[in-house]
Amino acid sequence: MTLTQLRAFVTVARLGSVKGAAQSLGVTEAAVSGAVAALRRELGDVLFIRAAGGISLTPGGSRLAAGAAEIVGLAEETRHRVRQASSGTTHLRVASTEAGVEQVLPALLTSFGRRQPDLDVETLAVPVASFGDLLRDRRADVTIGPAPRPAPAVESVPFLRFQLAVVAAPDHPLRHRQRLGPAQLAHELWLLGPAGLDPGTLSGAFLAHIGVEATGAKAFPSVTASLNAVAAGAGLSVAFLHVVRDDLRRGSLIRLDVAGARLGGMLYASALTGERRSTTAAALCRFVTTPAATQAVLTRSNGVPMNEFRPPVHVTIWS
């Protein structure tokens, strides 16, 4: 039984598909099937059977999935700590949504980094649905954004209440309409960042609620690029209110009056509980609840000193 075999099985169990696991791990389907076959022979259990829409784990497969996830997670954490010890720096892996990586993490982590000498931060842009798996598999130390689904090993700390705004160009035809409803918004062209329709985010849930489909949305490489296109009159978007406040004040964007929409939410810092949480992850979870963290996020630094800048690492697992 090897780590490679266990990692392959855990990924199959999580995604419900050999093909999906192969894509996630960056290997061939044959490699994943071979790893699972080796485990089946060694354990004397088929582990899973094909079922409608995916796979169904056997009782033995369910137990293996739980144990293997813990083993793979511990191996990843050990590897991470060895690298940290050999480099003499403290490493922190923070996952968030695309919007979070672009518009929340830079200022937040820059402010946190001033209190943590020799901190090296890696940021991951991922779907909300993968937050819990990243934490449990120890591929991320902390997630910032919506709280993952409740799980015994994960704790979420609420730290910032936010508002979203539906924005448009100053001359948009809907600019004077009041109490806009779904029927008036659903068929507009929506200009969004790479993950704008992620149902796990508040903005994605809002767009799903009013009936916006992929054919009615246009994706941009970044949220900033999508907002620039909105200001040029190309369509509508949903954005953090604190992010577009200056644009609204200058008049380069306007905020539309939307009826009955849930456009307020909470940001959470989530991490493993107890001894499973690294010292640095625990420090970040404490820091996010401080006035300094709130000020950093809401004021959005206009720049990060070059010697403090760490480019984000984007994990392309959007569906």
Side-chain angles (χ1 to χ4, degrees):
M1 187 183 299
T2 68
L3 277 174
T4 298
Q5 293 166 356
L6 293 176
R7 185 175 289 108
F9 178 73
V10 166
T11 309
V12 170
R14 183 173 65 238
L15 299 180
S17 161
V18 170
K19 180 178 180 180
Q23 291 174 341
S24 176
L25 295 170
V27 299
T28 64
E29 290 185 48
V32 173
S33 296
V36 173
L39 289 174
R40 284 171 162 165
R41 287 193 298 271
E42 179 167 347
L43 298 173
D45 191 308
V46 296
L47 302 178
F48 65 82
I49 58 174
R50 303 286 179 179
I55 64 170
S56 177
L57 295 177
T58 65
S62 296
R63 292 197 176 189
L64 177 63
E70 184 71 12
I71 293 169
V72 171
L74 286 171
E76 181 60 30
E77 180 64 20
T78 302
R79 185 180 294 113
H80 180 65
R81 290 185 178 184
V82 170
R83 285 199 302 263
Q84 184 169 291
S86 61
S87 66
T89 59
T90 301
H91 291 269
L92 183 68
R93 298 158 300 177
V94 183
S96 188
T97 62
E98 289 276 356
V101 165
E102 183 180 344
Q103 298 179 322
V104 175
L105 295 191
L108 178 68
L109 295 177
T110 297
S111 182
F112 176 65
R114 295 191 183 105
R115 305 180 177 207
Q116 298 284 326
D118 301 319
L119 177 66
D120 186 13
V121 180
E122 176 184 343
T123 58
L124 310 171
V126 297
V128 173
S130 68
F131 277 15
D133 289 333
L134 285 172
L135 292 172
R136 287 187 291 272
D137 295 350
R138 292 174 172 81
R139 289 176 288 154
D141 301 300
V142 181
T143 62
I144 300 292
R149 284 176 296 196
V154 176
E155 179 184 9
S156 297
V157 178
F159 71 93
L160 182 69
R161 192 169 295 281
F162 66 89
Q163 291 288 322
L164 296 178
V166 177
V167 295
D171 59 351
H172 194 278
L174 296 177
R175 63 189 181 278
H176 296 308
R177 301 283 186 89
Q178 294 184 338
R179 311 298 292 165
L180 291 163
Q184 295 166 289
L185 295 171
H187 300 296
E188 294 291 326
L189 179 60
W190 290 85
L191 311 180
L192 309 168
L197 292 176
D198 179 5
T201 64
L202 186 61
S203 58
F206 163 73
L207 293 170
H209 171 70
I210 65 173
V212 176
E213 298 180 356
T215 53
K218 205 171 183 181
F220 286 76
S222 68
V223 177
T224 300
S226 69
L227 292 174
N228 289 340
V230 171
L236 307 180
S237 194
V238 186
F240 287 119
L241 181 58
H242 71 270
V243 168
V244 297
R245 187 171 285 122
D246 288 344
D247 298 288
L248 297 174
R249 189 179 298 117
R250 286 193 299 265
S252 55
L253 291 173
I254 62 167
R255 183 181 184 183
L256 297 183
D257 182 13
V258 178
R262 180 175 170 263
L263 291 173
M266 180 71 74
L267 290 179
Y268 294 82
S270 302
L272 293 176
T273 57
E275 294 181 355
R276 299 181 179 187
R277 180 183 305 185
S278 71
T279 301
T280 311
L284 178 58
C285 289
R286 290 192 299 270
F287 173 72
V288 295
T289 64
T290 65
T294 300
Q295 183 179 15
V297 174
L298 294 182
T299 56
R300 293 190 67 222
S301 169
N302 290 323
V304 177
M306 183 54 85
N307 64 336
E308 297 180 21
F309 177 70
R310 296 291 184 273
V313 176
H314 290 268
V315 180
T316 310
I317 54 176
W318 295 96
S319 57

